[in-house]
């Protein structure tokens, strides 16, 4: 097992839409199946507990905590709860991401802009800030933040795009700063993913039927389909495992070749 006896926090382990398989839920199951002990965090209780229920149903160890990563006290308490439960912290996987379709800068509302930046960027900083002392004391650790192809491509989610682009550079800094302490930091740059939350957002924005949205999105990647939550989870597993032990500061596209079209 590639994560045997490792302790992992997964922030954003729930999902906005209750049904189906989102990135956080798939990552929780994947990490558990590979031997990790889990602390799952989410700001929505029912969604968090459904993920935990699925993990426990397979016989794995999991703790949960309600946490809003934009709240510094919650981030501090999440790290403390993890070390109290398991004695250490090996992996921080931040799956939190949220965006809204603005489409036009003149339509941006300041409160919404600030909320999106807080959830996609500031929250990542706060999680990292409070995980680093633990990992530094161990002289080992792995941090993975989840970004998006929106950071490098034309996208109608303006605040989300800006936040994820900044997140990429923040993670490069973390890798540079903390490499001497045995801490790696990498980014998953996800492309178009066939997850309930992503499809529901575009359905609400456009009003188009869900299957039509799915067909439109499947046509864009060079591999001819969207990714799914397991594609994201497997990439996270690689980066978290010893197989990725010499990788830090990477921005890894998980996008079916969509990034190869940037600039065309």
């Amino acid at each position: 097992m590639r994560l045997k006896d490792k302790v992992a926090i997964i922030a954003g382990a729930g999902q906005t839409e209750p049904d189906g398989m989102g990135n956080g839920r798939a990552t929780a199951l994947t990490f558990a199946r590979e031997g990790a002990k889990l602390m799952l965090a989410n700001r929505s209780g029912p969604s968090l507990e459904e993920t935990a229920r699925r993990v426990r149903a397979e016989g794995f160890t999991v703790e949960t905590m309600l946490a809003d990563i934009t709240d510094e006290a919650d981030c501090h308490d999440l790290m403390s709860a993890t070390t109290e439960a398991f004695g250490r912290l090996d992996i921080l996987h931040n799956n939190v991401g949220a965006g809204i379709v603005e489409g036009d800068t003149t339509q941006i509302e300041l409160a919404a802009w600030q909320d999106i930046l807080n959830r996609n960027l500031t929250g990542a900083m706060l999680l990292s800030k409070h995980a680093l002392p633990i990992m530094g004391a161990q002289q080992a650790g792995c941090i993975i933040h989840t970004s998006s192809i929106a950071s490098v491509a034309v996208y109608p989610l303006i605040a989300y795009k800006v936040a994820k682009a900044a997140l990429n550079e923040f993670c490069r800094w973390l890798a540079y700063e903390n490499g001497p302490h045995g801490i790696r930091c990498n980014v998953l740059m996800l492309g178009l993913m066939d997850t309930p939350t992503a499809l529901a957002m575009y359905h609400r924005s456009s009003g188009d039927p869900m299957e039509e949205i799915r067909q439109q999105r499947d046509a864009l990647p060079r591999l001819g389909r969207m990714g799914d939550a397991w594609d994201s989870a497997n990439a996270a597993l690689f980066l978290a495992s010893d197989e990725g032990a010499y990788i830090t500061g990477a921005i890894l596209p998980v996008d079916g070749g969509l990034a190869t079209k940037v600039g065309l």
Side-chain angles (χ1 to χ4, degrees):
M1 293 190 291
R2 285 179 280 179
L3 300 181
K4 182 175 173 55
D5 297 327
K6 299 289 188 181
V7 175
I9 290 174
I10 300 178
Q15 53 195 58
T16 305
E17 302 300 314
D19 298 325
M21 186 62 62
N23 296 323
R25 186 166 291 169
T27 302
L29 287 164
T30 298
F31 280 17
R33 290 167 182 168
E34 291 291 337
K37 301 171 185 177
L38 300 182
M39 173 64 79
L40 305 182
N42 205 65
R43 67 178 191 171
S44 168
S47 178
L48 173 63
E49 290 307 322
E50 174 58 19
T51 301
R53 183 195 68 77
R54 296 192 188 201
V55 174
R56 290 182 182 122
E58 297 191 18
F60 301 119
T61 301
V62 60
E63 300 289 338
T64 63
M65 179 176 167
L66 284 176
D68 180 347
I69 69 165
T70 68
D71 184 312
E72 183 161 10
D74 278 8
C75 292
H76 174 273
D77 291 348
L78 176 59
M79 305 306 154
S80 295
T82 302
T83 55
E84 287 173 13
F86 300 115
R88 59 184 296 112
L89 172 60
D90 300 292
I91 302 159
L92 169 62
H93 179 76
N94 173 27
N95 178 64
V96 175
I100 55 174
V101 179
E102 302 106 339
D104 188 319
T105 303
T106 63
Q107 303 301 313
I108 294 174
E109 296 181 359
L110 179 58
W113 170 272
Q114 292 173 330
D115 178 59
I116 296 301
L117 264 63
N118 283 338
R119 291 164 70 181
N120 292 285
L121 178 60
T122 304
M125 179 275 291
L126 292 172
L127 285 171
S128 302
K129 174 183 176 180
H130 291 284
L132 286 170
I134 301 168
M135 293 179 173
Q138 298 168 173
Q139 288 293 288
C142 173
I143 296 174
I144 304 168
H145 289 297
T146 304
S147 183
S148 167
I149 190 69
S151 63
V152 298
V154 173
Y155 233 64
L157 287 71
I158 304 168
Y160 178 80
K161 172 183 176 59
V162 169
K164 292 302 191 184
L167 178 62
N168 293 350
E169 288 306 305
F170 174 64
C171 290
R172 281 164 48 84
W173 167 254
L174 286 179
Y176 172 79
E177 177 187 59
N178 294 285
H181 306 296
I183 302 169
R184 298 184 296 112
C185 183
N186 295 293
V187 180
L188 292 183
M189 189 170 71
L190 302 184
L192 301 180
M193 310 303 284
D194 191 351
T195 61
T197 299
L199 293 180
M201 180 186 67
Y202 283 102
H203 173 67
R204 287 192 300 269
S205 174
S206 68
D208 293 338
M210 200 75 80
E211 193 52 41
E212 182 178 319
I213 294 171
R214 180 175 280 111
Q215 291 173 2
Q216 292 170 350
R217 287 163 64 88
D218 274 337
L220 293 173
R222 299 306 291 166
L223 294 183
R225 66 169 180 87
M226 285 186 284
D228 61 24
W230 301 109
D231 292 316
S232 171
N234 287 328
L237 171 63
F238 168 69
L239 290 176
S241 73
D242 289 342
E243 293 168 3
Y246 201 59
I247 300 173
T248 192
I251 300 170
L252 177 64
V254 184
D255 67 350
L258 191 58
T260 64
K261 299 170 68 174
V262 173
L264 296 180

